[in-house]
Amino acid sequence: MYAFKLPDDFLIGTANSAFQSEGAWQADGKSESIMDYFAREFAGKYSPGSSPVNKVTGARNLPNAEDLPDRGCFFYDNYETYIEDMAKTGQNVYRLSLAWPRIIPAGVGEVNPKGIEFYNKVINKLIECGITPFVDLYHWDLPQCLQEKGGFACPEFPEWFEAYAKVCFEAFGDRVKMWSTFNEAQISIHNGYCVGTFPPFIVDRKLALLAGHYNLIAHFRAVRLYKSMNLGGKIGAVNCIPAIMPARMVPEDVDAAERRRDWYFGWWTEAMLEGTYPQKVLRDCPEYRNNMPENYQDDLDKWFVPMDFIGVNYYVANRTQYDPENVLKSTPVASFYSAPGQRYAPYPAGLFDVVQYVHERYNGIEIYITENGCAIPNINDKEKEIEDPERISYLREHIRMCCRCIKAGYNLKGSMYWNDADSYEMLDGYRLRFGMTWVDHQTGERIWKKSRYYFSEICKTRMVN
Ligand code: NOJ
């Protein structure tokens, strides 16, 4: 029996988010999101919270994207041809997100029928093409009007989110059977509130821990609501996890690596699956312990409800060393196997490591790789960019790792490549290309890269050579 074969029920496909793929930011009643707002406000400048030089690597941090998401993303107007391409690829899943400001432009209250209509068309088209819609309620694009009322850090946030989730479950829950609440809460909270390199660009640990806490309660409220509606699907969340390993084989580094993983991944995952925050971080790090929201455990006890699966976004490895000066008493140092200076340096073996970790730590929970992708700097040269042997190797190695995870008995049920077609990369704008389809960000022209043909063979044969 050939080893690198995907089970028949394995979900294999691509992913993208509303903000990064749709464009049309003002079309048909949509309001501004925090990402639209900050892209406009800070285009071409360094993020308010970031220094031009990275303190860890010494490399220059990139300034924010110079171009805007609405001038180079075309999914809103061309969703049919994007989905027809997915069907031709032979994939059986597409992970997308719904834009809250498209569905409820004022954040709370009145529903925009045009927003519902758009996602109905997208979902129906996916289903008609035999593709399972895997839908995130939230992927970066908080309505700016809610940010102005305090955003994640506002005590009303969980209620706002539950009301938005209700609209989505009622409108799409008859056809969408795979839901996730939040994408990478860690990035929204750590980057957005601790280090200030992501909207809303705040540096305040106490506020970060409060915003993260409300984010978790919002997650629980949506999961509770979904379960009470008996719609027959599954609901989980998407968290990011680097393959974090100790730099040296000494107990201090093992502990340091654990604390780093517990803040990046465990903070959200342990809370979502077990209703507690990681004790090692609280015990060893006063900056965390002393800044926790009041009665946080009572809130968790009140709202906790376990979810059905965990979505794992895996990109990079991270070698970690004990550092008494750092708030987590832990610092990342140069990783094994990494290409110096390369952003998102691939480390395929790490996919096995993280799935093994999640499987063992969280008692065999159902796992999906909800993101994994190869970033190549944009040189705006169609002929060269559609030849992408690095991405072919990347896909091959990472999907082979999925096969190894399954053989090892881990409960891995799907893998989604980030991303379907070149799009807008958060603060990098169009400077990076992750897509398996090449996109001309001026004209919208799309061409399959070589990697998409390769991926298509994997989807159709369900084998990896
Ligand atoms: C994870 C995020 O969910 C996605 O929005 C982003 O584009 C990729 N990482 C690559 O940075």
Side-chain angles (χ1 to χ4, degrees):
M1 163 65 182
Y2 185 64
F4 296 102
K5 189 134 181 52
L6 296 169
D8 292 341
D9 63 350
F10 192 81
L11 292 181
I12 179 139
T14 55
N16 213 331
S17 73
F19 158 69
Q20 294 171 273
S21 65
E22 289 175 1
W25 81 271
Q26 271 182 315
D28 298 330
K30 178 181 171 294
S31 68
E32 193 174 46
S33 75
I34 53 172
M35 299 304 286
D36 297 319
Y37 171 79
F38 284 109
R40 266 181 192 73
E41 197 74 1
F42 294 113
K45 302 177 197 150
Y46 286 95
S47 328
S50 81
S51 80
V53 175
N54 184 303
K55 291 186 206 78
V56 177
T57 62
R60 280 184 73 73
N61 280 338
L62 289 167
N64 281 336
E66 272 143 32
D67 216 333
L68 301 174
D70 46 307
R71 288 208 287 263
C73 297
F74 308 96
F75 186 81
Y76 190 78
D77 292 320
N78 297 294
Y79 72 91
E80 281 174 300
T81 53
Y82 276 74
I83 297 172
E84 279 155 20
D85 266 357
M86 294 174 204
K88 282 185 205 139
T89 305
Q91 64 193 73
N92 60 3
V93 67
Y94 178 57
R95 173 174 172 243
L96 68 152
S97 72
L98 308 176
W100 187 344
R102 211 180 273 298
I103 293 181
I104 308 181
V108 281
E110 207 176 321
V111 175
N112 173 19
K114 294 266 184 197
I116 301 287
E117 186 190 326
F118 170 64
Y119 292 114
N120 265 332
K121 287 191 293 193
V122 169
I123 290 163
N124 291 345
K125 179 78 183 172
L126 285 166
I127 292 173
E128 187 189 305
C129 290
I131 299 171
T132 299
F134 188 117
V135 175
D136 282 47
L137 290 168
Y138 184 86
H139 195 140
W140 307 145
D141 45 2
L142 185 70
Q144 173 64 18
C145 52
L146 293 186
Q147 181 59 43
E148 282 157 20
K149 293 185 183 160
F152 286 107
C154 176
E156 284 171 78
F157 180 78
E159 208 176 308
W160 300 336
F161 186 72
E162 184 184 334
Y164 158 62
K166 184 159 187 273
V167 170
C168 299
F169 297 152
E170 280 173 354
F172 315 119
D174 56 335
R175 286 149 295 149
V176 173
K177 300 297 168 193
M178 292 299 290
W179 289 95
S180 114
T181 54
F182 289 93
N183 175 71
E184 296 190 347
Q186 165 63 214
I187 302 297
S188 297
I189 302 302
H190 178 81
N191 295 32
Y193 288 83
C194 291
V195 292
T197 52
F198 198 72
F201 300 114
I202 291 170
V203 182
D204 180 338
R205 192 162 312 273
K206 198 172 176 66
L207 198 66
L209 292 170
L210 186 70
H213 192 60
Y214 290 148
N215 181 304
L216 279 166
I217 294 170
H219 160 88
F220 292 137
R221 288 180 65 152
V223 174
R224 266 174 194 265
L225 172 72
Y226 185 70
K227 297 205 165 194
S228 75
M229 290 172 77
N230 291 317
L231 289 163
K234 291 181 180 173
I235 187 159
V238 170
N239 291 336
C240 50
I241 181 170
I244 296 183
M245 56 203 98
R248 301 161 302 182
M249 280 149 292
V250 295
E252 306 88 83
D253 286 7
V254 173
D255 267 2
E258 210 169 306
R259 278 191 297 273
R260 187 151 289 268
R261 191 175 49 213
D262 276 354
W263 167 237
Y264 281 85
F265 182 74
W267 200 262
W268 320 99
T269 310
E270 184 180 314
M272 289 170 175
L273 287 169
E274 297 172 354
T276 47
Y277 286 119
Q279 291 308 303
K280 198 190 269 292
V281 175
L282 290 172
R283 197 185 54 223
D284 299 351
C285 311
E287 276 262 14
Y288 285 81
R289 186 172 61 243
N290 299 336
N291 284 311
M292 289 298 282
E294 265 174 51
N295 306 322
Y296 63 85
Q297 192 55 51
D298 293 346
D299 289 345
L300 294 182
D301 291 345
K302 176 170 174 203
W303 292 107
F304 169 71
V305 56
M307 57 186 179
D308 302 317
F309 67 85
I310 172 84
V312 167
N313 288 355
Y314 169 69
Y315 286 88
V316 292
N318 188 317
R319 206 167 145 235
T320 294
Q321 191 163 303
Y322 175 66
D323 173 4
E325 303 302 319
N326 177 273
V327 286
L328 281 170
K329 299 198 169 65
S330 146
T331 292
V333 292
S335 277
F336 300 113
Y337 302 107
S338 68
Q342 185 179 338
R343 310 224 305 131
Y344 301 98
Y347 178 59
L351 188 144
F352 187 90
D353 298 354
V354 301
V355 172
Q356 177 182 50
Y357 169 77
V358 176
H359 179 87
E360 289 176 354
R361 169 66 186 81
Y362 294 104
N363 309 315
I365 179 85
E366 189 168 310
I367 304 172
Y368 293 84
I369 300 291
T370 33
E371 278 181 40
N372 173 239
C374 174
I376 300 179
N378 181 6
I379 52 168
N380 271 316
D381 182 330
K382 172 160 66 180
E383 302 310 322
K384 287 203 180 113
E385 288 176 333
I386 58 174
E387 298 288 335
D388 57 347
E390 310 89 329
R391 192 169 284 107
I392 292 177
S393 302
Y394 184 100
L395 282 162
R396 176 174 184 270
E397 296 303 331
H398 285 84
I399 301 173
R400 282 163 71 97
M401 284 300 164
C402 291
C403 297
R404 291 190 174 104
C405 291
I406 296 163
K407 285 244 150 181
Y410 307 146
N411 199 5
L412 179 65
K413 293 294 193 189
S415 179
M416 291 149 239
Y417 177 80
W418 184 272
N419 55 18
D420 184 71
D422 293 334
S423 50
Y424 192 85
E425 173 54 19
M426 293 135 81
L427 306 178
D428 285 294
Y430 302 116
R431 283 187 295 234
L432 291 176
R433 290 185 183 272
F434 284 82
M436 281 194 289
T437 291
W438 186 86
V439 177
D440 182 325
H441 295 299
Q442 305 294 322
T443 63
E445 180 191 6
R446 287 201 324 278
I447 307 171
W448 282 29
K449 298 180 192 172
K450 289 283 159 57
S451 57
R452 189 155 204 131
Y453 290 95
Y454 177 72
F455 184 66
S456 174
E457 276 184 64
I458 296 178
C459 293
K460 288 177 181 163
T461 61
R462 305 190 76 76
M463 277 169 60
V464 198
N465 61 340

PDB file of all heavy atoms in Angstrom, residues 17 20 95 139-140 183-184 313 315 344 371 418-419 424-426 434, ligand 1:
ATOM      1  N   SER A  17      -9.158  34.890   3.266  1.00  0.00           N
ATOM      2  CA  SER A  17     -10.073  35.608   4.164  1.00  0.00           C
ATOM      3  C   SER A  17     -10.787  36.692   3.375  1.00  0.00           C
ATOM      4  O   SER A  17     -10.328  37.108   2.307  1.00  0.00           O
ATOM      5  CB  SER A  17      -9.305  36.236   5.322  1.00  0.00           C
ATOM      6  OG  SER A  17      -8.574  37.355   4.867  1.00  0.00           O
ATOM      7  N   GLN A  20      -8.737  39.916   2.843  1.00  0.00           N
ATOM      8  CA  GLN A  20      -7.571  39.769   1.989  1.00  0.00           C
ATOM      9  C   GLN A  20      -7.893  39.392   0.553  1.00  0.00           C
ATOM     10  O   GLN A  20      -7.018  39.407  -0.295  1.00  0.00           O
ATOM     11  CB  GLN A  20      -6.615  38.743   2.605  1.00  0.00           C
ATOM     12  CG  GLN A  20      -6.036  39.228   3.922  1.00  0.00           C
ATOM     13  CD  GLN A  20      -5.259  38.150   4.652  1.00  0.00           C
ATOM     14  OE1 GLN A  20      -5.822  37.373   5.405  1.00  0.00           O
ATOM     15  NE2 GLN A  20      -3.963  38.075   4.410  1.00  0.00           N
ATOM     16  N   ARG A  95     -11.712  27.286   2.570  1.00  0.00           N
ATOM     17  CA  ARG A  95     -11.896  28.028   3.822  1.00  0.00           C
ATOM     18  C   ARG A  95     -11.985  29.515   3.498  1.00  0.00           C
ATOM     19  O   ARG A  95     -11.091  30.071   2.868  1.00  0.00           O
ATOM     20  CB  ARG A  95     -10.724  27.749   4.769  1.00  0.00           C
ATOM     21  CG  ARG A  95     -10.758  28.599   6.019  1.00  0.00           C
ATOM     22  CD  ARG A  95      -9.677  28.210   7.035  1.00  0.00           C
ATOM     23  NE  ARG A  95      -9.670  29.193   8.091  1.00  0.00           N
ATOM     24  CZ  ARG A  95      -8.646  29.994   8.372  1.00  0.00           C
ATOM     25  NH1 ARG A  95      -7.507  29.886   7.716  1.00  0.00           N
ATOM     26  NH2 ARG A  95      -8.744  30.891   9.324  1.00  0.00           N
ATOM     27  N   HIS A 139     -12.049  37.026  10.722  1.00  0.00           N
ATOM     28  CA  HIS A 139     -10.652  36.929  10.278  1.00  0.00           C
ATOM     29  C   HIS A 139     -10.155  38.359  10.019  1.00  0.00           C
ATOM     30  O   HIS A 139     -10.193  38.830   8.892  1.00  0.00           O
ATOM     31  CB  HIS A 139     -10.574  36.056   9.016  1.00  0.00           C
ATOM     32  CG  HIS A 139      -9.202  35.580   8.660  1.00  0.00           C
ATOM     33  ND1 HIS A 139      -8.951  34.301   8.192  1.00  0.00           N
ATOM     34  CD2 HIS A 139      -8.009  36.192   8.661  1.00  0.00           C
ATOM     35  CE1 HIS A 139      -7.661  34.169   7.930  1.00  0.00           C
ATOM     36  NE2 HIS A 139      -7.068  35.309   8.201  1.00  0.00           N
ATOM     37  N   TRP A 140      -9.805  39.065  11.050  1.00  0.00           N
ATOM     38  CA  TRP A 140      -9.171  40.406  11.056  1.00  0.00           C
ATOM     39  C   TRP A 140     -10.095  41.615  10.932  1.00  0.00           C
ATOM     40  O   TRP A 140      -9.672  42.722  11.244  1.00  0.00           O
ATOM     41  CB  TRP A 140      -8.133  40.589   9.925  1.00  0.00           C
ATOM     42  CG  TRP A 140      -7.058  39.596   9.794  1.00  0.00           C
ATOM     43  CD1 TRP A 140      -6.504  39.176   8.618  1.00  0.00           C
ATOM     44  CD2 TRP A 140      -6.319  38.932  10.821  1.00  0.00           C
ATOM     45  NE1 TRP A 140      -5.492  38.281   8.851  1.00  0.00           N
ATOM     46  CE2 TRP A 140      -5.371  38.101  10.202  1.00  0.00           C
ATOM     47  CE3 TRP A 140      -6.381  38.939  12.217  1.00  0.00           C
ATOM     48  CZ2 TRP A 140      -4.486  37.308  10.911  1.00  0.00           C
ATOM     49  CZ3 TRP A 140      -5.506  38.134  12.923  1.00  0.00           C
ATOM     50  CH2 TRP A 140      -4.579  37.340  12.266  1.00  0.00           C
ATOM     51  N   ASN A 183     -10.127  33.593  13.806  1.00  0.00           N
ATOM     52  CA  ASN A 183      -8.832  33.229  13.252  1.00  0.00           C
ATOM     53  C   ASN A 183      -7.740  33.880  14.087  1.00  0.00           C
ATOM     54  O   ASN A 183      -7.748  35.096  14.299  1.00  0.00           O
ATOM     55  CB  ASN A 183      -8.708  33.734  11.810  1.00  0.00           C
ATOM     56  CG  ASN A 183      -7.321  33.474  11.231  1.00  0.00           C
ATOM     57  OD1 ASN A 183      -6.967  32.328  10.959  1.00  0.00           O
ATOM     58  ND2 ASN A 183      -6.517  34.521  11.067  1.00  0.00           N
ATOM     59  N   GLU A 184      -6.800  33.080  14.555  1.00  0.00           N
ATOM     60  CA  GLU A 184      -5.577  33.561  15.220  1.00  0.00           C
ATOM     61  C   GLU A 184      -5.828  34.689  16.220  1.00  0.00           C
ATOM     62  O   GLU A 184      -5.328  35.809  16.056  1.00  0.00           O
ATOM     63  CB  GLU A 184      -4.540  34.002  14.177  1.00  0.00           C
ATOM     64  CG  GLU A 184      -4.053  32.871  13.290  1.00  0.00           C
ATOM     65  CD  GLU A 184      -2.851  33.243  12.424  1.00  0.00           C
ATOM     66  OE1 GLU A 184      -2.533  34.439  12.314  1.00  0.00           O
ATOM     67  OE2 GLU A 184      -2.226  32.323  11.865  1.00  0.00           O
ATOM     68  N   ASN A 313      -2.973  26.803  12.287  1.00  0.00           N
ATOM     69  CA  ASN A 313      -2.231  27.483  11.223  1.00  0.00           C
ATOM     70  C   ASN A 313      -0.752  27.275  11.492  1.00  0.00           C
ATOM     71  O   ASN A 313      -0.231  27.713  12.518  1.00  0.00           O
ATOM     72  CB  ASN A 313      -2.528  28.992  11.212  1.00  0.00           C
ATOM     73  CG  ASN A 313      -3.934  29.295  10.714  1.00  0.00           C
ATOM     74  OD1 ASN A 313      -4.664  28.395  10.282  1.00  0.00           O
ATOM     75  ND2 ASN A 313      -4.316  30.557  10.753  1.00  0.00           N
ATOM     76  N   TYR A 315       3.147  27.652  10.035  1.00  0.00           N
ATOM     77  CA  TYR A 315       4.073  28.197   9.036  1.00  0.00           C
ATOM     78  C   TYR A 315       5.541  27.948   9.347  1.00  0.00           C
ATOM     79  O   TYR A 315       6.286  27.516   8.488  1.00  0.00           O
ATOM     80  CB  TYR A 315       3.870  29.722   8.889  1.00  0.00           C
ATOM     81  CG  TYR A 315       2.616  30.087   8.153  1.00  0.00           C
ATOM     82  CD1 TYR A 315       1.409  30.236   8.829  1.00  0.00           C
ATOM     83  CD2 TYR A 315       2.614  30.279   6.770  1.00  0.00           C
ATOM     84  CE1 TYR A 315       0.243  30.562   8.150  1.00  0.00           C
ATOM     85  CE2 TYR A 315       1.458  30.606   6.087  1.00  0.00           C
ATOM     86  CZ  TYR A 315       0.270  30.744   6.782  1.00  0.00           C
ATOM     87  OH  TYR A 315      -0.876  31.063   6.106  1.00  0.00           O
ATOM     88  N   TYR A 344       8.833  33.719   6.836  1.00  0.00           N
ATOM     89  CA  TYR A 344       8.104  32.446   6.733  1.00  0.00           C
ATOM     90  C   TYR A 344       9.004  31.314   6.218  1.00  0.00           C
ATOM     91  O   TYR A 344       8.631  30.576   5.319  1.00  0.00           O
ATOM     92  CB  TYR A 344       6.899  32.582   5.803  1.00  0.00           C
ATOM     93  CG  TYR A 344       5.903  33.621   6.239  1.00  0.00           C
ATOM     94  CD1 TYR A 344       5.910  34.893   5.692  1.00  0.00           C
ATOM     95  CD2 TYR A 344       4.956  33.326   7.201  1.00  0.00           C
ATOM     96  CE1 TYR A 344       4.998  35.849   6.094  1.00  0.00           C
ATOM     97  CE2 TYR A 344       4.039  34.273   7.618  1.00  0.00           C
ATOM     98  CZ  TYR A 344       4.068  35.535   7.060  1.00  0.00           C
ATOM     99  OH  TYR A 344       3.171  36.471   7.452  1.00  0.00           O
ATOM    100  N   GLU A 371      -4.255  26.500   7.757  1.00  0.00           N
ATOM    101  CA  GLU A 371      -3.359  27.317   6.923  1.00  0.00           C
ATOM    102  C   GLU A 371      -1.963  26.741   6.965  1.00  0.00           C
ATOM    103  O   GLU A 371      -1.505  26.272   8.003  1.00  0.00           O
ATOM    104  CB  GLU A 371      -3.248  28.756   7.437  1.00  0.00           C
ATOM    105  CG  GLU A 371      -4.341  29.654   7.020  1.00  0.00           C
ATOM    106  CD  GLU A 371      -4.164  31.081   7.532  1.00  0.00           C
ATOM    107  OE1 GLU A 371      -3.024  31.592   7.523  1.00  0.00           O
ATOM    108  OE2 GLU A 371      -5.179  31.663   7.939  1.00  0.00           O
ATOM    109  N   TRP A 418      -2.664  28.036   2.169  1.00  0.00           N
ATOM    110  CA  TRP A 418      -2.813  29.492   2.165  1.00  0.00           C
ATOM    111  C   TRP A 418      -1.895  30.051   1.107  1.00  0.00           C
ATOM    112  O   TRP A 418      -0.690  29.930   1.255  1.00  0.00           O
ATOM    113  CB  TRP A 418      -2.450  30.091   3.527  1.00  0.00           C
ATOM    114  CG  TRP A 418      -2.706  31.569   3.551  1.00  0.00           C
ATOM    115  CD1 TRP A 418      -1.838  32.562   3.173  1.00  0.00           C
ATOM    116  CD2 TRP A 418      -3.922  32.218   3.922  1.00  0.00           C
ATOM    117  NE1 TRP A 418      -2.441  33.787   3.289  1.00  0.00           N
ATOM    118  CE2 TRP A 418      -3.717  33.602   3.754  1.00  0.00           C
ATOM    119  CE3 TRP A 418      -5.166  31.771   4.383  1.00  0.00           C
ATOM    120  CZ2 TRP A 418      -4.704  34.554   4.021  1.00  0.00           C
ATOM    121  CZ3 TRP A 418      -6.131  32.708   4.651  1.00  0.00           C
ATOM    122  CH2 TRP A 418      -5.898  34.088   4.470  1.00  0.00           C
ATOM    123  N   ASN A 419      -2.319  30.692  -0.021  1.00  0.00           N
ATOM    124  CA  ASN A 419      -3.721  30.862  -0.176  1.00  0.00           C
ATOM    125  C   ASN A 419      -4.118  30.516  -1.604  1.00  0.00           C
ATOM    126  O   ASN A 419      -3.260  30.226  -2.434  1.00  0.00           O
ATOM    127  CB  ASN A 419      -4.167  32.270   0.234  1.00  0.00           C
ATOM    128  CG  ASN A 419      -3.438  33.374  -0.482  1.00  0.00           C
ATOM    129  OD1 ASN A 419      -2.826  33.161  -1.516  1.00  0.00           O
ATOM    130  ND2 ASN A 419      -3.499  34.578   0.058  1.00  0.00           N
ATOM    131  N   TYR A 424      -4.030  40.123  -0.680  1.00  0.00           N
ATOM    132  CA  TYR A 424      -3.472  41.204   0.134  1.00  0.00           C
ATOM    133  C   TYR A 424      -2.959  40.620   1.442  1.00  0.00           C
ATOM    134  O   TYR A 424      -3.712  39.989   2.182  1.00  0.00           O
ATOM    135  CB  TYR A 424      -4.573  42.218   0.406  1.00  0.00           C
ATOM    136  CG  TYR A 424      -4.086  43.515   0.988  1.00  0.00           C
ATOM    137  CD1 TYR A 424      -3.624  44.539   0.169  1.00  0.00           C
ATOM    138  CD2 TYR A 424      -4.098  43.725   2.366  1.00  0.00           C
ATOM    139  CE1 TYR A 424      -3.180  45.737   0.704  1.00  0.00           C
ATOM    140  CE2 TYR A 424      -3.659  44.921   2.900  1.00  0.00           C
ATOM    141  CZ  TYR A 424      -3.205  45.920   2.064  1.00  0.00           C
ATOM    142  OH  TYR A 424      -2.775  47.107   2.603  1.00  0.00           O
ATOM    143  N   GLU A 425      -1.681  40.803   1.712  1.00  0.00           N
ATOM    144  CA  GLU A 425      -1.090  40.205   2.912  1.00  0.00           C
ATOM    145  C   GLU A 425      -1.054  41.204   4.061  1.00  0.00           C
ATOM    146  O   GLU A 425      -0.084  41.959   4.193  1.00  0.00           O
ATOM    147  CB  GLU A 425       0.308  39.667   2.576  1.00  0.00           C
ATOM    148  CG  GLU A 425       1.124  39.154   3.736  1.00  0.00           C
ATOM    149  CD  GLU A 425       0.442  38.084   4.589  1.00  0.00           C
ATOM    150  OE1 GLU A 425      -0.522  37.461   4.120  1.00  0.00           O
ATOM    151  OE2 GLU A 425       0.856  37.909   5.734  1.00  0.00           O
ATOM    152  N   MET A 426      -2.072  41.187   4.866  1.00  0.00           N
ATOM    153  CA  MET A 426      -2.125  42.012   6.065  1.00  0.00           C
ATOM    154  C   MET A 426      -1.320  43.299   5.908  1.00  0.00           C
ATOM    155  O   MET A 426      -1.642  44.149   5.120  1.00  0.00           O
ATOM    156  CB  MET A 426      -1.643  41.200   7.267  1.00  0.00           C
ATOM    157  CG  MET A 426      -2.592  40.085   7.606  1.00  0.00           C
ATOM    158  SD  MET A 426      -1.765  38.565   7.915  1.00  0.00           S
ATOM    159  CE  MET A 426      -1.232  38.793   9.595  1.00  0.00           C
ATOM    160  N   PHE A 434       1.513  34.402  -1.968  1.00  0.00           N
ATOM    161  CA  PHE A 434       1.330  33.066  -1.388  1.00  0.00           C
ATOM    162  C   PHE A 434       0.545  32.157  -2.337  1.00  0.00           C
ATOM    163  O   PHE A 434       0.467  30.956  -2.139  1.00  0.00           O
ATOM    164  CB  PHE A 434       0.483  33.140  -0.103  1.00  0.00           C
ATOM    165  CG  PHE A 434       1.173  33.647   1.132  1.00  0.00           C
ATOM    166  CD1 PHE A 434       1.319  35.005   1.360  1.00  0.00           C
ATOM    167  CD2 PHE A 434       1.648  32.765   2.089  1.00  0.00           C
ATOM    168  CE1 PHE A 434       1.920  35.483   2.525  1.00  0.00           C
ATOM    169  CE2 PHE A 434       2.248  33.231   3.258  1.00  0.00           C
ATOM    170  CZ  PHE A 434       2.386  34.586   3.474  1.00  0.00           C
TER     171      PHE A 434
HETATM  172  C1  NOJ B   1      -2.110  33.777   8.975  1.00  0.00           C
HETATM  173  C2  NOJ B   1      -3.294  34.641   8.742  1.00  0.00           C
HETATM  174  O1  NOJ B   1      -4.462  34.012   9.174  1.00  0.00           O
HETATM  175  C3  NOJ B   1      -3.455  35.108   7.306  1.00  0.00           C
HETATM  176  O2  NOJ B   1      -4.419  36.112   7.295  1.00  0.00           O
HETATM  177  C4  NOJ B   1      -2.126  35.548   6.750  1.00  0.00           C
HETATM  178  O3  NOJ B   1      -2.228  36.064   5.462  1.00  0.00           O
HETATM  179  C5  NOJ B   1      -1.155  34.387   6.791  1.00  0.00           C
HETATM  180  N1  NOJ B   1      -0.973  33.989   8.167  1.00  0.00           N
HETATM  181  C6  NOJ B   1       0.217  34.681   6.219  1.00  0.00           C
HETATM  182  O4  NOJ B   1       0.821  35.661   6.978  1.00  0.00           O
END
